[in-house]
Amino acid sequence: MSDTTEVKKEYLVEVQHLVKYFPVRAGLMQRTVNWVKAVDDVSFKVKKGETLGMVGESGCGKTTIGRSMLRLVEPTSGSVHYDGKDVLKLRGNELKNVRRNMQIIFQDPYSSLDPRVPIGEAVMEGLHIHNIGSRQERYDLMIETLKKVGLEDYHARRYPHEFSGGQRQRIGIARALALRPDFIICDEPVSALDVSIQSQVLNILKDLQKEFGLTYLFIAHNLSVVEHISDRVAVMYLGKMVELTGRDDLFKEPLHPYTKALMSAIPIPDPRLKRERQVLKGDVPSPLNPPTGCRFHPRCPIAEKICSEQEPEFREAKPNHWVACWMVK
């Protein structure tokens, strides 16, 4: 991995060996009897100004990675470097200052908003916490930010229940943008929206990235959305990263069997063409007791004996194309 100097020059964010286990408690004394291995030794880097897409089935650990990076949940181990600083070691004002530059857009735009607070106050909340400007300056910045996401100044006085789902997600984007951060984690920001509204929100995110030089970690399960917005794509399976490469390389020539199965499920917008579907057998194993070796081997159509015995190394199989699979030479 790169040293701190290189991280500052090329990479805005670097995650190293991130682990997050959740305890399973039972009995009268609520003793820990097992651990849910939600994220298990994940490493990646995000270049300044790029969008790194992160995809995988529900429960693969995507959201936990995003929340752990911001310490909304405390990681079990590992490190998260932002602009050369290890976020997991920061305390007090140092952590507060870094959090101003690292924001998140939540998946559910309604539950992440306080129903008793007008949305103008919700957008200004971060400005109050970080003591940015006077009351009038905060108000002006809030109005400016609402207009950036396609809302009007009179919307500031309304409450969350008065907005549609697409408008609420715009409010969520405005709240993250108000502090003018460098890095935003987009946690499935369009999964709850209609397709027509999805494209509007994605275009807003791309326009804001261009205007403010934002860096995104875009978490999603819709591969078409990821293809539209991402520069590079990481594929997750059961708490592990199994593939990481540029968007074009991944959609043109995926290497991991799991990624190939995901790609085969993407519909082709032409009724005359038909893609050969690769249907995976069985269910995703439990993160309470993941399989030995490669975690995908119980469902893999090309697995061999070594796959069940030894965990594959996450290695660079081709230039800038990383994969964890014994069958990829």
Side-chain angles (χ1 to χ4, degrees):
M1 287 292 181
S2 309
D3 60 20
T4 302
T5 305
E6 186 180 343
V7 172
K8 284 184 176 180
K9 287 180 179 178
E10 187 176 1
Y11 297 101
L12 183 66
V13 178
E14 181 175 2
V15 176
Q16 294 179 312
H17 308 295
L18 187 67
V19 174
K20 177 57 184 177
Y21 292 172
F22 292 98
V24 177
R25 305 184 191 279
L28 187 63
M29 304 300 292
Q30 288 293 289
R31 291 191 176 94
T32 299
V33 296
N34 207 339
W35 296 90
V36 176
K37 299 175 177 63
V39 179
D40 200 358
D41 195 13
V42 170
S43 300
F44 60 92
K45 306 171 186 176
V46 188
K47 294 179 181 178
K48 186 172 179 59
E50 80 164 345
T51 299
L52 175 64
M54 185 170 286
V55 300
E57 293 170 282
S58 295
C60 69
K62 308 184 299 293
T63 293
T64 303
I65 288 175
R67 290 173 179 253
S68 296
M69 290 171 69
L70 298 181
R71 291 178 64 182
L72 298 180
V73 296
E74 287 291 338
T76 304
S77 63
S79 66
V80 178
H81 284 89
Y82 166 79
D83 198 24
K85 300 175 182 176
D86 190 349
V87 178
L88 306 188
K89 292 182 179 178
L90 299 179
R91 298 290 184 271
N93 286 332
E94 281 187 313
L95 178 59
K96 182 179 177 181
N97 292 335
V98 165
R99 275 183 165 162
R100 174 182 172 180
N101 295 312
M102 300 175 71
Q103 292 292 304
I104 185 169
I105 301 168
F106 293 100
Q107 178 179 359
D108 186 347
Y110 189 66
S111 64
S112 63
L113 294 169
D114 189 333
R116 301 164 298 180
V117 175
I119 65 107
E121 290 294 328
V123 172
M124 284 194 292
E125 184 178 10
L127 302 175
H128 285 298
I129 292 171
H130 290 276
N131 289 320
I132 297 174
S134 64
R135 172 71 187 180
Q136 185 61 44
E137 288 171 336
R138 293 170 190 165
Y139 180 83
D140 293 342
L141 184 56
M142 178 268 292
I143 295 296
E144 178 189 345
T145 305
L146 287 180
K147 290 184 176 180
K148 292 284 185 188
V149 299
L151 298 174
E152 298 298 331
D153 50 2
Y154 60 83
H155 286 132
R157 299 183 295 275
R158 295 184 179 178
Y159 290 83
H161 72 272
E162 299 180 74
F163 295 91
S164 67
Q167 287 176 317
R168 288 177 196 147
Q169 197 57 281
R170 292 168 190 252
I171 296 164
I173 295 171
R175 190 171 57 173
L177 183 66
L179 289 167
R180 299 297 185 262
D182 297 321
F183 178 62
I184 298 179
I185 295 173
C186 306
D187 184 12
E188 302 204 29
V190 297
S191 64
L193 307 178
D194 293 338
V195 174
S196 59
I197 305 301
Q198 285 185 11
S199 60
Q200 295 176 20
V201 172
L202 291 174
N203 288 334
I204 287 172
L205 289 171
K206 293 184 80 170
D207 290 343
L208 292 173
Q209 183 176 39
K210 188 180 297 184
E211 181 175 353
F212 295 102
L214 298 171
T215 303
Y216 293 143
L217 173 64
F218 192 92
I219 298 168
H221 60 260
N222 187 324
L223 285 165
S224 299
V225 168
V226 169
E227 184 179 17
H228 176 69
I229 199 169
S230 301
D231 298 303
R232 292 187 301 140
V233 182
V235 182
M236 293 286 299
Y237 183 80
L238 202 63
K240 291 278 190 182
M241 189 173 289
V242 297
E243 192 161 359
L244 172 64
T245 188
R247 172 195 60 195
D248 295 338
D249 288 341
L250 189 80
F251 283 84
K252 181 180 178 182
E253 189 181 3
L255 298 181
H256 198 281
Y258 176 63
T259 311
K260 292 178 180 179
L262 289 180
M263 296 296 177
S264 74
I266 302 175
I268 301 175
D270 188 336
R272 295 167 298 179
L273 300 177
K274 189 176 181 180
R275 181 179 273 126
E276 184 179 350
R277 181 75 193 276
Q278 297 181 26
V279 180
L280 298 175
K281 297 180 180 179
D283 297 322
V284 180
S286 170
L288 280 169
N289 187 26
T292 57
C294 174
R295 296 190 174 184
F296 184 61
H297 86 262
R299 306 174 72 197
C300 183
I302 60 172
E304 295 187 3
K305 186 178 179 182
I306 190 174
C307 301
S308 62
E309 295 175 345
Q310 298 180 37
E311 184 176 327
E313 179 189 3
F314 192 65
R315 58 189 174 82
E316 193 172 16
K318 293 183 177 181
N320 299 315
H321 198 147
W322 299 73
V323 67
C325 180
W326 288 113
M327 299 298 103
V328 176
K329 304 303 180 184

mmCIF file of all heavy atoms in Angstrom, residues 3 108 227 231 246 257 304:
data_model
loop_
_atom_site.group_PDB
_atom_site.id
_atom_site.type_symbol
_atom_site.label_atom_id
_atom_site.label_comp_id
_atom_site.label_asym_id
_atom_site.label_seq_id
_atom_site.Cartn_x
_atom_site.Cartn_y
_atom_site.Cartn_z
ATOM 1 N N ASP A 3 2.364 4.960 0.946
ATOM 2 C CA ASP A 3 2.607 5.670 2.191
ATOM 3 C C ASP A 3 1.768 6.942 2.224
ATOM 4 O O ASP A 3 1.076 7.297 1.278
ATOM 5 C CB ASP A 3 4.101 5.965 2.369
ATOM 6 C CG ASP A 3 4.659 6.838 1.242
ATOM 7 O OD1 ASP A 3 3.848 7.510 0.573
ATOM 8 O OD2 ASP A 3 5.880 6.834 1.040
ATOM 9 N N ASP A 108 -32.661 5.998 2.585
ATOM 10 C CA ASP A 108 -34.051 6.371 2.802
ATOM 11 C C ASP A 108 -34.130 7.864 3.104
ATOM 12 O O ASP A 108 -33.773 8.295 4.206
ATOM 13 C CB ASP A 108 -34.646 5.571 3.964
ATOM 14 C CG ASP A 108 -36.141 5.827 4.137
ATOM 15 O OD1 ASP A 108 -36.644 6.795 3.533
ATOM 16 O OD2 ASP A 108 -36.788 5.069 4.871
ATOM 17 N N GLU A 227 -22.983 1.739 -13.831
ATOM 18 C CA GLU A 227 -22.304 1.954 -15.112
ATOM 19 C C GLU A 227 -22.436 3.408 -15.563
ATOM 20 O O GLU A 227 -21.522 3.974 -16.169
ATOM 21 C CB GLU A 227 -22.882 1.019 -16.177
ATOM 22 C CG GLU A 227 -22.174 1.112 -17.517
ATOM 23 C CD GLU A 227 -22.756 0.167 -18.549
ATOM 24 O OE1 GLU A 227 -23.888 -0.331 -18.347
ATOM 25 O OE2 GLU A 227 -22.088 -0.063 -19.579
ATOM 26 N N ASP A 231 -16.565 5.779 -12.297
ATOM 27 C CA ASP A 231 -15.300 5.712 -13.036
ATOM 28 C C ASP A 231 -14.656 4.340 -12.848
ATOM 29 O O ASP A 231 -14.113 3.767 -13.793
ATOM 30 C CB ASP A 231 -14.341 6.798 -12.550
ATOM 31 C CG ASP A 231 -14.897 8.196 -12.780
ATOM 32 O OD1 ASP A 231 -15.202 8.519 -13.939
ATOM 33 O OD2 ASP A 231 -15.047 8.947 -11.798
ATOM 34 N N GLY A 246 -11.638 -0.537 -13.635
ATOM 35 C CA GLY A 246 -12.340 0.547 -14.296
ATOM 36 C C GLY A 246 -13.707 0.096 -14.799
ATOM 37 O O GLY A 246 -13.901 -1.077 -15.135
ATOM 38 N N PRO A 257 -16.240 -15.075 -11.401
ATOM 39 C CA PRO A 257 -17.505 -15.752 -11.749
ATOM 40 C C PRO A 257 -18.738 -15.071 -11.170
ATOM 41 O O PRO A 257 -19.797 -15.068 -11.802
ATOM 42 C CB PRO A 257 -17.328 -17.158 -11.156
ATOM 43 C CG PRO A 257 -15.867 -17.343 -11.021
ATOM 44 C CD PRO A 257 -15.269 -15.999 -10.782
ATOM 45 N N GLU A 304 -13.076 -25.434 -7.858
ATOM 46 C CA GLU A 304 -12.304 -26.667 -7.707
ATOM 47 C C GLU A 304 -11.941 -26.853 -6.235
ATOM 48 O O GLU A 304 -12.305 -26.040 -5.384
ATOM 49 C CB GLU A 304 -11.067 -26.617 -8.598
ATOM 50 C CG GLU A 304 -11.413 -26.589 -10.088
ATOM 51 C CD GLU A 304 -10.194 -26.701 -10.972
ATOM 52 O OE1 GLU A 304 -9.063 -26.859 -10.439
ATOM 53 O OE2 GLU A 304 -10.363 -26.638 -12.210
#
